[in-house]
Structures are given as C-alpha cells and as structure tokens.
C-alpha cells in the first residue's frame, strides 16, 4: 500500500541527488503516498521541498503540480 510506496520513494530520493528534474516527481509521489497513509506533516514537508526544488528548474507544468500538492 501507501506505506510501502513511501519506503520505496524515500529510497529513490537517494538516487536522485543532483538531478532535481527527477527528484521533484519523486517528492510529489512521496507526498501523495504519505498523505494517503496519514503522515500529514511529513507529506507537507516533502511537498515544500518539491516546490523549492522545482522553482529553479523553470518548468511550468512541474511547478503547477508542486503548487497544487502543496495546498493540502
């Protein structure tokens, strides 16, 4: 379920170091998995990290996704 997905996505974040274009989607999916497993504070923290990582990339579609998930 979502708890298992959270574990795998957390591990995947280590593999995205230095590649924000891959890190941002991983953070998005992790936030989604965490909120659906009841870990709201962690979900919000990762959503904020996703916004901070996405802003310098300047990819409008990605920014709209991170801003939407941050509204939780």
């Amino acid at each position: 379920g979502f708890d298992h997905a959270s574990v795998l996505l957390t591990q995947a974040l280590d593999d995205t170091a230095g590649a924000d274009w891959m890190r941002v989607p991983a953070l998005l999916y992790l936030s989604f998995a965490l909120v659906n497993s009841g870990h709201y504070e962690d979900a919000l923290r990762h959503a904020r990290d996703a916004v901070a990582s996405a802003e310098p990339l300047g990819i409008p579609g990605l920014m709209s996704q991170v801003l939407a998930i941050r509204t939780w």
Side-chain angles (χ1 to χ4, degrees):
F2 288 111
D3 286 324
H4 183 65
S6 297
V7 171
L8 295 176
L9 287 162
T10 300
Q11 293 171 354
L13 286 177
D14 292 336
D15 296 333
T16 64
D20 283 344
W21 62 273
M22 290 190 320
R23 183 175 180 76
V24 172
L27 287 166
L28 283 171
Y29 297 136
L30 178 56
S31 293
F32 181 78
L34 288 167
V35 82
N36 281 289
S37 58
H39 302 282
Y40 303 110
E41 292 299 319
D42 289 334
L44 184 57
R45 179 172 47 89
H46 288 296
R48 288 180 180 147
D49 289 346
V51 171
S53 296
E55 284 178 334
L57 297 175
I59 302 171
L62 196 54
M63 275 305 297
S64 69
Q65 291 176 23
V66 297
L67 292 174
I69 203 167
R70 189 184 66 176
T71 62
W72 293 338

